[in-house]
Amino acid sequence: AQQLGQLRHKLSREAEKSRRPMVLSTGSPQTCVAISERFKVVLTGGKDRIIRVWNPLIQIENVGVEYLKGHGARIIGLQVIDKFGSLISAATDKTIRLWDLQTFQELCKLHDSYQHRPVDRLTSISYDDTSGRLFTFGNRGRVWAVAPGSIQAVDAVGNGEG
C-alpha cells in the first residue's frame, strides 16, 4: 500500500511537470471575462461581438469552445449567475442579454432606453448575488431585477450631472 501511494505521488508530480498553461486565443481583443464555478467554464466577450464559452479542461484548439452570438456591438460586461445557470451580457449598443448556460440559448434581450442619447453607451455592469440586482452604468446608472429567465428594470441611479 505504501508503494502504491509513492507511485501515485510520483505520477502526480510528473503529470504536473508536463501540464501546460491554458492559452485562450481569439484573434480579437476581449474586453471582459467571467467564470462559472457550476459549469466549470471561462467566458469572454469583446470587440468582435461574440461571447466564447471555454472549457479549460480541453487543451485542443477550437475544441471545447461554444459561441454565443447576437450582440450588435462590442461586449463590455459579462456576469455569471450560477444559481440560475445564467449569463448576463451587455454591449455598448445598450443591449442586455440573458443566456442559459446549459443550452447556450438566449432567454431574453433588453434595450436600455434610459440611456436615450446616442452618446450614452453602457460601459460597465455588476451583479449583486444577495439582492438579485444587476447594475448597469454608462453616463447614467440603472438597476435591474434578475430572476430565473428574466430581467426587469427597477430604477435609475443618478443623472450623470454634477
Side-chain angles (χ1 to χ4, degrees):
Q2 185 179 9
Q3 286 179 333
L4 183 58
Q6 289 173 343
L7 180 60
R8 280 188 189 148
H9 181 67
K10 183 177 180 179
L11 289 173
S12 177
R13 278 188 301 166
E14 290 302 315
E16 193 66 37
K17 285 181 189 175
S18 66
R19 194 174 288 173
R20 296 179 295 154
M22 182 177 68
V23 176
L24 306 177
S25 178
T26 65
S28 178
Q30 300 299 289
T31 54
C32 50
V33 64
I35 298 170
S36 170
E37 291 290 330
R38 177 178 172 189
F39 294 101
K40 307 290 188 241
V41 293
V42 176
L43 303 104
T44 61
K47 188 175 180 180
D48 62 1
R49 307 178 313 266
I50 298 171
I51 299 168
R52 289 172 177 81
V53 184
W54 307 83
N55 181 336
L57 302 177
I58 298 175
Q59 298 283 325
I60 302 168
E61 191 169 326
N62 292 324
V63 175
V65 180
E66 293 290 334
Y67 301 92
L68 307 181
K69 297 179 180 181
H71 278 291
R74 180 172 48 99
I75 299 165
I76 55 90
L78 299 172
Q79 293 286 307
V80 171
I81 307 173
D82 272 336
K83 69 181 179 182
F84 298 153
S86 300
L87 169 71
I88 299 171
S89 60
T92 57
D93 64 356
K94 308 172 203 172
T95 58
I96 301 165
R97 295 173 188 260
L98 182 65
W99 306 87
D100 184 313
L101 284 177
Q102 280 191 296
T103 64
F104 302 119
Q105 298 297 310
E106 182 181 296
L107 299 174
C108 71
K109 172 186 169 186
L110 299 165
H111 185 265
D112 186 359
S113 59
Y114 185 67
Q115 308 278 348
H116 64 281
R117 300 178 307 167
V119 296
D120 291 338
R121 288 187 274 245
L122 291 179
T123 56
S124 64
I125 65 172
S126 182
Y127 178 76
D128 178 49
D129 199 38
T130 304
S131 67
R133 299 288 194 248
L134 174 72
F135 301 89
T136 60
F137 283 90
N139 291 346
R140 301 172 181 172
R142 191 136 198 209
V143 180
W144 306 80
V146 180
S150 72
I151 302 175
Q152 292 185 322
V154 174
D155 199 8
V157 179
N159 62 8
E161 299 174 12

PDB file of all heavy atoms in Angstrom, residues 74-111:
ATOM      1  N   ARG A  74     -19.704  46.019 -29.420  1.00  0.00           N
ATOM      2  CA  ARG A  74     -18.682  45.486 -28.512  1.00  0.00           C
ATOM      3  C   ARG A  74     -19.296  45.105 -27.167  1.00  0.00           C
ATOM      4  O   ARG A  74     -20.037  45.871 -26.564  1.00  0.00           O
ATOM      5  CB  ARG A  74     -17.584  46.530 -28.306  1.00  0.00           C
ATOM      6  CG  ARG A  74     -16.473  46.074 -27.370  1.00  0.00           C
ATOM      7  CD  ARG A  74     -15.310  47.059 -27.339  1.00  0.00           C
ATOM      8  NE  ARG A  74     -15.726  48.429 -27.158  1.00  0.00           N
ATOM      9  CZ  ARG A  74     -15.709  49.070 -25.993  1.00  0.00           C
ATOM     10  NH1 ARG A  74     -15.292  48.470 -24.904  1.00  0.00           N
ATOM     11  NH2 ARG A  74     -16.091  50.323 -25.923  1.00  0.00           N
ATOM     12  N   ILE A  75     -18.960  43.927 -26.692  1.00  0.00           N
ATOM     13  CA  ILE A  75     -19.442  43.439 -25.403  1.00  0.00           C
ATOM     14  C   ILE A  75     -18.567  44.031 -24.311  1.00  0.00           C
ATOM     15  O   ILE A  75     -17.339  43.965 -24.381  1.00  0.00           O
ATOM     16  CB  ILE A  75     -19.415  41.898 -25.355  1.00  0.00           C
ATOM     17  CG1 ILE A  75     -20.337  41.344 -26.445  1.00  0.00           C
ATOM     18  CG2 ILE A  75     -19.833  41.392 -23.981  1.00  0.00           C
ATOM     19  CD1 ILE A  75     -20.139  39.892 -26.748  1.00  0.00           C
ATOM     20  N   ILE A  76     -19.208  44.642 -23.312  1.00  0.00           N
ATOM     21  CA  ILE A  76     -18.455  45.350 -22.259  1.00  0.00           C
ATOM     22  C   ILE A  76     -18.573  44.695 -20.889  1.00  0.00           C
ATOM     23  O   ILE A  76     -17.877  45.087 -19.966  1.00  0.00           O
ATOM     24  CB  ILE A  76     -18.871  46.833 -22.167  1.00  0.00           C
ATOM     25  CG1 ILE A  76     -20.396  46.989 -21.966  1.00  0.00           C
ATOM     26  CG2 ILE A  76     -18.433  47.583 -23.396  1.00  0.00           C
ATOM     27  CD1 ILE A  76     -20.830  47.012 -20.555  1.00  0.00           C
ATOM     28  N   GLY A  77     -19.471  43.721 -20.753  1.00  0.00           N
ATOM     29  CA  GLY A  77     -19.618  43.111 -19.441  1.00  0.00           C
ATOM     30  C   GLY A  77     -20.279  41.748 -19.504  1.00  0.00           C
ATOM     31  O   GLY A  77     -21.178  41.517 -20.316  1.00  0.00           O
ATOM     32  N   LEU A  78     -19.784  40.850 -18.659  1.00  0.00           N
ATOM     33  CA  LEU A  78     -20.352  39.517 -18.502  1.00  0.00           C
ATOM     34  C   LEU A  78     -20.513  39.247 -17.015  1.00  0.00           C
ATOM     35  O   LEU A  78     -19.602  39.531 -16.243  1.00  0.00           O
ATOM     36  CB  LEU A  78     -19.430  38.448 -19.103  1.00  0.00           C
ATOM     37  CG  LEU A  78     -19.134  38.528 -20.589  1.00  0.00           C
ATOM     38  CD1 LEU A  78     -18.055  37.512 -20.956  1.00  0.00           C
ATOM     39  CD2 LEU A  78     -20.398  38.272 -21.395  1.00  0.00           C
ATOM     40  N   GLN A  79     -21.652  38.717 -16.633  1.00  0.00           N
ATOM     41  CA  GLN A  79     -21.901  38.348 -15.243  1.00  0.00           C
ATOM     42  C   GLN A  79     -22.558  36.974 -15.217  1.00  0.00           C
ATOM     43  O   GLN A  79     -23.619  36.777 -15.821  1.00  0.00           O
ATOM     44  CB  GLN A  79     -22.828  39.354 -14.557  1.00  0.00           C
ATOM     45  CG  GLN A  79     -22.228  40.721 -14.369  1.00  0.00           C
ATOM     46  CD  GLN A  79     -21.196  40.726 -13.270  1.00  0.00           C
ATOM     47  OE1 GLN A  79     -21.437  40.309 -12.145  1.00  0.00           O
ATOM     48  NE2 GLN A  79     -20.017  41.219 -13.584  1.00  0.00           N
ATOM     49  N   VAL A  80     -21.941  36.024 -14.544  1.00  0.00           N
ATOM     50  CA  VAL A  80     -22.496  34.683 -14.397  1.00  0.00           C
ATOM     51  C   VAL A  80     -23.351  34.639 -13.137  1.00  0.00           C
ATOM     52  O   VAL A  80     -22.958  35.150 -12.096  1.00  0.00           O
ATOM     53  CB  VAL A  80     -21.366  33.633 -14.301  1.00  0.00           C
ATOM     54  CG1 VAL A  80     -21.919  32.266 -13.929  1.00  0.00           C
ATOM     55  CG2 VAL A  80     -20.591  33.564 -15.604  1.00  0.00           C
ATOM     56  N   ILE A  81     -24.521  34.032 -13.256  1.00  0.00           N
ATOM     57  CA  ILE A  81     -25.376  33.788 -12.106  1.00  0.00           C
ATOM     58  C   ILE A  81     -25.534  32.272 -12.013  1.00  0.00           C
ATOM     59  O   ILE A  81     -26.436  31.684 -12.607  1.00  0.00           O
ATOM     60  CB  ILE A  81     -26.740  34.497 -12.239  1.00  0.00           C
ATOM     61  CG1 ILE A  81     -26.532  35.976 -12.523  1.00  0.00           C
ATOM     62  CG2 ILE A  81     -27.555  34.300 -10.964  1.00  0.00           C
ATOM     63  CD1 ILE A  81     -27.798  36.718 -12.843  1.00  0.00           C
ATOM     64  N   ASP A  82     -24.614  31.650 -11.304  1.00  0.00           N
ATOM     65  CA  ASP A  82     -24.579  30.189 -11.239  1.00  0.00           C
ATOM     66  C   ASP A  82     -25.847  29.584 -10.657  1.00  0.00           C
ATOM     67  O   ASP A  82     -26.290  28.536 -11.101  1.00  0.00           O
ATOM     68  CB  ASP A  82     -23.355  29.714 -10.449  1.00  0.00           C
ATOM     69  CG  ASP A  82     -22.118  29.556 -11.322  1.00  0.00           C
ATOM     70  OD1 ASP A  82     -22.266  29.357 -12.547  1.00  0.00           O
ATOM     71  OD2 ASP A  82     -21.008  29.620 -10.782  1.00  0.00           O
ATOM     72  N   LYS A  83     -26.460  30.254  -9.673  1.00  0.00           N
ATOM     73  CA  LYS A  83     -27.656  29.658  -9.060  1.00  0.00           C
ATOM     74  C   LYS A  83     -28.819  29.550 -10.039  1.00  0.00           C
ATOM     75  O   LYS A  83     -29.684  28.703  -9.877  1.00  0.00           O
ATOM     76  CB  LYS A  83     -28.070  30.411  -7.792  1.00  0.00           C
ATOM     77  CG  LYS A  83     -28.603  31.804  -8.015  1.00  0.00           C
ATOM     78  CD  LYS A  83     -28.956  32.447  -6.681  1.00  0.00           C
ATOM     79  CE  LYS A  83     -29.464  33.860  -6.865  1.00  0.00           C
ATOM     80  NZ  LYS A  83     -29.751  34.496  -5.586  1.00  0.00           N
ATOM     81  N   PHE A  84     -28.848  30.381 -11.088  1.00  0.00           N
ATOM     82  CA  PHE A  84     -29.867  30.299 -12.133  1.00  0.00           C
ATOM     83  C   PHE A  84     -29.341  29.578 -13.371  1.00  0.00           C
ATOM     84  O   PHE A  84     -30.102  29.336 -14.310  1.00  0.00           O
ATOM     85  CB  PHE A  84     -30.342  31.683 -12.568  1.00  0.00           C
ATOM     86  CG  PHE A  84     -30.996  32.506 -11.482  1.00  0.00           C
ATOM     87  CD1 PHE A  84     -30.958  33.879 -11.543  1.00  0.00           C
ATOM     88  CD2 PHE A  84     -31.652  31.914 -10.415  1.00  0.00           C
ATOM     89  CE1 PHE A  84     -31.556  34.653 -10.566  1.00  0.00           C
ATOM     90  CE2 PHE A  84     -32.258  32.678  -9.428  1.00  0.00           C
ATOM     91  CZ  PHE A  84     -32.213  34.064  -9.504  1.00  0.00           C
ATOM     92  N   GLY A  85     -28.046  29.291 -13.412  1.00  0.00           N
ATOM     93  CA  GLY A  85     -27.452  28.695 -14.607  1.00  0.00           C
ATOM     94  C   GLY A  85     -27.470  29.658 -15.775  1.00  0.00           C
ATOM     95  O   GLY A  85     -27.649  29.257 -16.920  1.00  0.00           O
ATOM     96  N   SER A  86     -27.280  30.962 -15.472  1.00  0.00           N
ATOM     97  CA  SER A  86     -27.439  32.011 -16.477  1.00  0.00           C
ATOM     98  C   SER A  86     -26.195  32.872 -16.624  1.00  0.00           C
ATOM     99  O   SER A  86     -25.351  32.944 -15.734  1.00  0.00           O
ATOM    100  CB  SER A  86     -28.602  32.928 -16.107  1.00  0.00           C
ATOM    101  OG  SER A  86     -29.801  32.220 -16.022  1.00  0.00           O
ATOM    102  N   LEU A  87     -26.152  33.565 -17.754  1.00  0.00           N
ATOM    103  CA  LEU A  87     -25.132  34.559 -18.047  1.00  0.00           C
ATOM    104  C   LEU A  87     -25.839  35.826 -18.485  1.00  0.00           C
ATOM    105  O   LEU A  87     -26.781  35.769 -19.288  1.00  0.00           O
ATOM    106  CB  LEU A  87     -24.215  34.076 -19.180  1.00  0.00           C
ATOM    107  CG  LEU A  87     -23.266  35.125 -19.772  1.00  0.00           C
ATOM    108  CD1 LEU A  87     -22.162  35.456 -18.776  1.00  0.00           C
ATOM    109  CD2 LEU A  87     -22.690  34.647 -21.085  1.00  0.00           C
ATOM    110  N   ILE A  88     -25.403  36.969 -17.962  1.00  0.00           N
ATOM    111  CA  ILE A  88     -25.883  38.263 -18.423  1.00  0.00           C
ATOM    112  C   ILE A  88     -24.751  38.899 -19.202  1.00  0.00           C
ATOM    113  O   ILE A  88     -23.605  38.922 -18.748  1.00  0.00           O
ATOM    114  CB  ILE A  88     -26.288  39.181 -17.252  1.00  0.00           C
ATOM    115  CG1 ILE A  88     -27.425  38.550 -16.454  1.00  0.00           C
ATOM    116  CG2 ILE A  88     -26.686  40.561 -17.767  1.00  0.00           C
ATOM    117  CD1 ILE A  88     -27.731  39.276 -15.157  1.00  0.00           C
ATOM    118  N   SER A  89     -25.075  39.420 -20.385  1.00  0.00           N
ATOM    119  CA  SER A  89     -24.074  40.134 -21.179  1.00  0.00           C
ATOM    120  C   SER A  89     -24.624  41.505 -21.534  1.00  0.00           C
ATOM    121  O   SER A  89     -25.834  41.690 -21.671  1.00  0.00           O
ATOM    122  CB  SER A  89     -23.724  39.350 -22.444  1.00  0.00           C
ATOM    123  OG  SER A  89     -24.869  39.158 -23.257  1.00  0.00           O
ATOM    124  N   ALA A  90     -23.712  42.467 -21.665  1.00  0.00           N
ATOM    125  CA  ALA A  90     -24.105  43.826 -22.039  1.00  0.00           C
ATOM    126  C   ALA A  90     -23.139  44.340 -23.088  1.00  0.00           C
ATOM    127  O   ALA A  90     -21.949  43.999 -23.079  1.00  0.00           O
ATOM    128  CB  ALA A  90     -24.092  44.746 -20.815  1.00  0.00           C
ATOM    129  N   ALA A  91     -23.660  45.174 -23.993  1.00  0.00           N
ATOM    130  CA  ALA A  91     -22.846  45.718 -25.079  1.00  0.00           C
ATOM    131  C   ALA A  91     -23.006  47.229 -25.144  1.00  0.00           C
ATOM    132  O   ALA A  91     -23.944  47.795 -24.576  1.00  0.00           O
ATOM    133  CB  ALA A  91     -23.249  45.085 -26.405  1.00  0.00           C
ATOM    134  N   THR A  92     -22.082  47.865 -25.854  1.00  0.00           N
ATOM    135  CA  THR A  92     -22.095  49.323 -25.945  1.00  0.00           C
ATOM    136  C   THR A  92     -23.332  49.857 -26.662  1.00  0.00           C
ATOM    137  O   THR A  92     -23.649  51.033 -26.528  1.00  0.00           O
ATOM    138  CB  THR A  92     -20.831  49.849 -26.660  1.00  0.00           C
ATOM    139  OG1 THR A  92     -20.734  49.252 -27.953  1.00  0.00           O
ATOM    140  CG2 THR A  92     -19.588  49.568 -25.854  1.00  0.00           C
ATOM    141  N   ASP A  93     -24.048  49.020 -27.418  1.00  0.00           N
ATOM    142  CA  ASP A  93     -25.264  49.480 -28.106  1.00  0.00           C
ATOM    143  C   ASP A  93     -26.485  49.495 -27.190  1.00  0.00           C
ATOM    144  O   ASP A  93     -27.613  49.588 -27.652  1.00  0.00           O
ATOM    145  CB  ASP A  93     -25.539  48.629 -29.344  1.00  0.00           C
ATOM    146  CG  ASP A  93     -25.837  47.173 -29.014  1.00  0.00           C
ATOM    147  OD1 ASP A  93     -25.765  46.783 -27.826  1.00  0.00           O
ATOM    148  OD2 ASP A  93     -26.126  46.414 -29.955  1.00  0.00           O
ATOM    149  N   LYS A  94     -26.250  49.389 -25.880  1.00  0.00           N
ATOM    150  CA  LYS A  94     -27.282  49.489 -24.851  1.00  0.00           C
ATOM    151  C   LYS A  94     -28.154  48.249 -24.742  1.00  0.00           C
ATOM    152  O   LYS A  94     -29.262  48.298 -24.229  1.00  0.00           O
ATOM    153  CB  LYS A  94     -28.157  50.730 -25.063  1.00  0.00           C
ATOM    154  CG  LYS A  94     -27.387  52.020 -25.217  1.00  0.00           C
ATOM    155  CD  LYS A  94     -28.296  53.150 -25.608  1.00  0.00           C
ATOM    156  CE  LYS A  94     -27.501  54.235 -26.289  1.00  0.00           C
ATOM    157  NZ  LYS A  94     -28.325  55.259 -26.858  1.00  0.00           N
ATOM    158  N   THR A  95     -27.671  47.124 -25.261  1.00  0.00           N
ATOM    159  CA  THR A  95     -28.441  45.886 -25.139  1.00  0.00           C
ATOM    160  C   THR A  95     -27.905  45.027 -24.002  1.00  0.00           C
ATOM    161  O   THR A  95     -26.703  44.984 -23.752  1.00  0.00           O
ATOM    162  CB  THR A  95     -28.437  45.049 -26.440  1.00  0.00           C
ATOM    163  OG1 THR A  95     -27.094  44.745 -26.785  1.00  0.00           O
ATOM    164  CG2 THR A  95     -29.140  45.770 -27.561  1.00  0.00           C
ATOM    165  N   ILE A  96     -28.833  44.374 -23.344  1.00  0.00           N
ATOM    166  CA  ILE A  96     -28.526  43.443 -22.256  1.00  0.00           C
ATOM    167  C   ILE A  96     -29.202  42.135 -22.631  1.00  0.00           C
ATOM    168  O   ILE A  96     -30.382  42.121 -23.003  1.00  0.00           O
ATOM    169  CB  ILE A  96     -29.071  43.965 -20.915  1.00  0.00           C
ATOM    170  CG1 ILE A  96     -28.451  45.330 -20.594  1.00  0.00           C
ATOM    171  CG2 ILE A  96     -28.812  42.961 -19.804  1.00  0.00           C
ATOM    172  CD1 ILE A  96     -29.172  46.072 -19.507  1.00  0.00           C
ATOM    173  N   ARG A  97     -28.455  41.050 -22.553  1.00  0.00           N
ATOM    174  CA  ARG A  97     -29.000  39.745 -22.918  1.00  0.00           C
ATOM    175  C   ARG A  97     -28.821  38.765 -21.766  1.00  0.00           C
ATOM    176  O   ARG A  97     -27.833  38.830 -21.046  1.00  0.00           O
ATOM    177  CB  ARG A  97     -28.316  39.204 -24.169  1.00  0.00           C
ATOM    178  CG  ARG A  97     -28.603  40.067 -25.389  1.00  0.00           C
ATOM    179  CD  ARG A  97     -27.791  39.624 -26.590  1.00  0.00           C
ATOM    180  NE  ARG A  97     -27.930  40.568 -27.663  1.00  0.00           N
ATOM    181  CZ  ARG A  97     -28.730  40.417 -28.717  1.00  0.00           C
ATOM    182  NH1 ARG A  97     -29.472  39.331 -28.832  1.00  0.00           N
ATOM    183  NH2 ARG A  97     -28.790  41.335 -29.651  1.00  0.00           N
ATOM    184  N   LEU A  98     -29.782  37.884 -21.634  1.00  0.00           N
ATOM    185  CA  LEU A  98     -29.733  36.824 -20.639  1.00  0.00           C
ATOM    186  C   LEU A  98     -29.639  35.504 -21.392  1.00  0.00           C
ATOM    187  O   LEU A  98     -30.429  35.240 -22.301  1.00  0.00           O
ATOM    188  CB  LEU A  98     -30.996  36.859 -19.769  1.00  0.00           C
ATOM    189  CG  LEU A  98     -31.087  35.840 -18.641  1.00  0.00           C
ATOM    190  CD1 LEU A  98     -30.006  36.092 -17.583  1.00  0.00           C
ATOM    191  CD2 LEU A  98     -32.472  35.884 -18.003  1.00  0.00           C
ATOM    192  N   TRP A  99     -28.649  34.692 -21.024  1.00  0.00           N
ATOM    193  CA  TRP A  99     -28.365  33.431 -21.700  1.00  0.00           C
ATOM    194  C   TRP A  99     -28.499  32.262 -20.726  1.00  0.00           C
ATOM    195  O   TRP A  99     -28.172  32.399 -19.553  1.00  0.00           O
ATOM    196  CB  TRP A  99     -26.942  33.431 -22.239  1.00  0.00           C
ATOM    197  CG  TRP A  99     -26.584  34.568 -23.122  1.00  0.00           C
ATOM    198  CD1 TRP A  99     -26.113  35.796 -22.721  1.00  0.00           C
ATOM    199  CD2 TRP A  99     -26.628  34.615 -24.546  1.00  0.00           C
ATOM    200  NE1 TRP A  99     -25.878  36.586 -23.813  1.00  0.00           N
ATOM    201  CE2 TRP A  99     -26.179  35.893 -24.949  1.00  0.00           C
ATOM    202  CE3 TRP A  99     -27.004  33.691 -25.517  1.00  0.00           C
ATOM    203  CZ2 TRP A  99     -26.091  36.263 -26.289  1.00  0.00           C
ATOM    204  CZ3 TRP A  99     -26.917  34.077 -26.851  1.00  0.00           C
ATOM    205  CH2 TRP A  99     -26.472  35.344 -27.221  1.00  0.00           C
ATOM    206  N   ASP A 100     -28.916  31.108 -21.240  1.00  0.00           N
ATOM    207  CA  ASP A 100     -28.953  29.864 -20.477  1.00  0.00           C
ATOM    208  C   ASP A 100     -27.617  29.154 -20.700  1.00  0.00           C
ATOM    209  O   ASP A 100     -27.260  28.852 -21.846  1.00  0.00           O
ATOM    210  CB  ASP A 100     -30.111  28.992 -20.961  1.00  0.00           C
ATOM    211  CG  ASP A 100     -30.273  27.723 -20.153  1.00  0.00           C
ATOM    212  OD1 ASP A 100     -29.256  27.033 -19.894  1.00  0.00           O
ATOM    213  OD2 ASP A 100     -31.409  27.407 -19.797  1.00  0.00           O
ATOM    214  N   LEU A 101     -26.874  28.877 -19.632  1.00  0.00           N
ATOM    215  CA  LEU A 101     -25.556  28.262 -19.769  1.00  0.00           C
ATOM    216  C   LEU A 101     -25.607  26.751 -19.995  1.00  0.00           C
ATOM    217  O   LEU A 101     -24.586  26.141 -20.293  1.00  0.00           O
ATOM    218  CB  LEU A 101     -24.685  28.576 -18.549  1.00  0.00           C
ATOM    219  CG  LEU A 101     -24.111  29.984 -18.523  1.00  0.00           C
ATOM    220  CD1 LEU A 101     -23.317  30.223 -17.243  1.00  0.00           C
ATOM    221  CD2 LEU A 101     -23.257  30.263 -19.744  1.00  0.00           C
ATOM    222  N   GLN A 102     -26.773  26.144 -19.871  1.00  0.00           N
ATOM    223  CA  GLN A 102     -26.883  24.712 -20.188  1.00  0.00           C
ATOM    224  C   GLN A 102     -27.155  24.498 -21.669  1.00  0.00           C
ATOM    225  O   GLN A 102     -26.602  23.603 -22.279  1.00  0.00           O
ATOM    226  CB  GLN A 102     -27.986  24.049 -19.365  1.00  0.00           C
ATOM    227  CG  GLN A 102     -27.548  23.733 -17.960  1.00  0.00           C
ATOM    228  CD  GLN A 102     -28.558  22.835 -17.266  1.00  0.00           C
ATOM    229  OE1 GLN A 102     -29.690  23.218 -17.053  1.00  0.00           O
ATOM    230  NE2 GLN A 102     -28.119  21.645 -16.923  1.00  0.00           N
ATOM    231  N   THR A 103     -28.007  25.338 -22.249  1.00  0.00           N
ATOM    232  CA  THR A 103     -28.407  25.170 -23.650  1.00  0.00           C
ATOM    233  C   THR A 103     -27.701  26.143 -24.581  1.00  0.00           C
ATOM    234  O   THR A 103     -27.784  25.994 -25.801  1.00  0.00           O
ATOM    235  CB  THR A 103     -29.922  25.367 -23.808  1.00  0.00           C
ATOM    236  OG1 THR A 103     -30.254  26.724 -23.469  1.00  0.00           O
ATOM    237  CG2 THR A 103     -30.702  24.403 -22.927  1.00  0.00           C
ATOM    238  N   PHE A 104     -27.053  27.165 -24.028  1.00  0.00           N
ATOM    239  CA  PHE A 104     -26.406  28.245 -24.784  1.00  0.00           C
ATOM    240  C   PHE A 104     -27.420  29.029 -25.623  1.00  0.00           C
ATOM    241  O   PHE A 104     -27.080  29.570 -26.666  1.00  0.00           O
ATOM    242  CB  PHE A 104     -25.251  27.721 -25.651  1.00  0.00           C
ATOM    243  CG  PHE A 104     -24.191  27.023 -24.856  1.00  0.00           C
ATOM    244  CD1 PHE A 104     -23.898  25.697 -25.089  1.00  0.00           C
ATOM    245  CD2 PHE A 104     -23.498  27.690 -23.863  1.00  0.00           C
ATOM    246  CE1 PHE A 104     -22.918  25.041 -24.353  1.00  0.00           C
ATOM    247  CE2 PHE A 104     -22.521  27.051 -23.122  1.00  0.00           C
ATOM    248  CZ  PHE A 104     -22.230  25.725 -23.364  1.00  0.00           C
ATOM    249  N   GLN A 105     -28.657  29.094 -25.159  1.00  0.00           N
ATOM    250  CA  GLN A 105     -29.713  29.826 -25.851  1.00  0.00           C
ATOM    251  C   GLN A 105     -29.949  31.166 -25.168  1.00  0.00           C
ATOM    252  O   GLN A 105     -29.833  31.289 -23.949  1.00  0.00           O
ATOM    253  CB  GLN A 105     -31.018  29.031 -25.842  1.00  0.00           C
ATOM    254  CG  GLN A 105     -30.926  27.707 -26.560  1.00  0.00           C
ATOM    255  CD  GLN A 105     -30.627  27.864 -28.027  1.00  0.00           C
ATOM    256  OE1 GLN A 105     -31.289  28.632 -28.723  1.00  0.00           O
ATOM    257  NE2 GLN A 105     -29.612  27.154 -28.502  1.00  0.00           N
ATOM    258  N   GLU A 106     -30.306  32.159 -25.969  1.00  0.00           N
ATOM    259  CA  GLU A 106     -30.674  33.464 -25.436  1.00  0.00           C
ATOM    260  C   GLU A 106     -32.080  33.359 -24.841  1.00  0.00           C
ATOM    261  O   GLU A 106     -33.003  32.879 -25.492  1.00  0.00           O
ATOM    262  CB  GLU A 106     -30.663  34.499 -26.560  1.00  0.00           C
ATOM    263  CG  GLU A 106     -30.994  35.887 -26.107  1.00  0.00           C
ATOM    264  CD  GLU A 106     -30.994  36.865 -27.266  1.00  0.00           C
ATOM    265  OE1 GLU A 106     -29.919  37.072 -27.869  1.00  0.00           O
ATOM    266  OE2 GLU A 106     -32.074  37.400 -27.555  1.00  0.00           O
ATOM    267  N   LEU A 107     -32.226  33.806 -23.588  1.00  0.00           N
ATOM    268  CA  LEU A 107     -33.523  33.761 -22.908  1.00  0.00           C
ATOM    269  C   LEU A 107     -34.305  35.051 -23.083  1.00  0.00           C
ATOM    270  O   LEU A 107     -35.523  35.042 -23.185  1.00  0.00           O
ATOM    271  CB  LEU A 107     -33.328  33.464 -21.420  1.00  0.00           C
ATOM    272  CG  LEU A 107     -32.658  32.141 -21.086  1.00  0.00           C
ATOM    273  CD1 LEU A 107     -32.394  32.039 -19.588  1.00  0.00           C
ATOM    274  CD2 LEU A 107     -33.504  30.975 -21.573  1.00  0.00           C
ATOM    275  N   CYS A 108     -33.596  36.184 -23.064  1.00  0.00           N
ATOM    276  CA  CYS A 108     -34.263  37.461 -23.303  1.00  0.00           C
ATOM    277  C   CYS A 108     -33.248  38.514 -23.706  1.00  0.00           C
ATOM    278  O   CYS A 108     -32.057  38.395 -23.437  1.00  0.00           O
ATOM    279  CB  CYS A 108     -35.099  37.912 -22.111  1.00  0.00           C
ATOM    280  SG  CYS A 108     -34.185  38.451 -20.665  1.00  0.00           S
ATOM    281  N   LYS A 109     -33.762  39.551 -24.360  1.00  0.00           N
ATOM    282  CA  LYS A 109     -32.944  40.670 -24.816  1.00  0.00           C
ATOM    283  C   LYS A 109     -33.664  41.954 -24.424  1.00  0.00           C
ATOM    284  O   LYS A 109     -34.872  42.086 -24.638  1.00  0.00           O
ATOM    285  CB  LYS A 109     -32.775  40.614 -26.333  1.00  0.00           C
ATOM    286  CG  LYS A 109     -32.117  41.834 -26.926  1.00  0.00           C
ATOM    287  CD  LYS A 109     -32.127  41.762 -28.443  1.00  0.00           C
ATOM    288  CE  LYS A 109     -31.709  43.076 -29.038  1.00  0.00           C
ATOM    289  NZ  LYS A 109     -31.838  43.079 -30.496  1.00  0.00           N
ATOM    290  N   LEU A 110     -32.914  42.880 -23.828  1.00  0.00           N
ATOM    291  CA  LEU A 110     -33.476  44.172 -23.429  1.00  0.00           C
ATOM    292  C   LEU A 110     -32.654  45.288 -24.047  1.00  0.00           C
ATOM    293  O   LEU A 110     -31.445  45.146 -24.261  1.00  0.00           O
ATOM    294  CB  LEU A 110     -33.433  44.324 -21.913  1.00  0.00           C
ATOM    295  CG  LEU A 110     -34.216  43.296 -21.116  1.00  0.00           C
ATOM    296  CD1 LEU A 110     -33.806  43.344 -19.662  1.00  0.00           C
ATOM    297  CD2 LEU A 110     -35.688  43.554 -21.252  1.00  0.00           C
ATOM    298  N   HIS A 111     -33.309  46.401 -24.283  1.00  0.00           N
ATOM    299  CA  HIS A 111     -32.611  47.601 -24.730  1.00  0.00           C
ATOM    300  C   HIS A 111     -32.784  48.648 -23.640  1.00  0.00           C
ATOM    301  O   HIS A 111     -33.910  48.913 -23.214  1.00  0.00           O
ATOM    302  CB  HIS A 111     -33.192  48.113 -26.052  1.00  0.00           C
ATOM    303  CG  HIS A 111     -32.429  49.275 -26.593  1.00  0.00           C
ATOM    304  ND1 HIS A 111     -32.789  50.569 -26.356  1.00  0.00           N
ATOM    305  CD2 HIS A 111     -31.315  49.321 -27.354  1.00  0.00           C
ATOM    306  CE1 HIS A 111     -31.926  51.379 -26.946  1.00  0.00           C
ATOM    307  NE2 HIS A 111     -31.029  50.642 -27.563  1.00  0.00           N
TER     308      HIS A 111
END
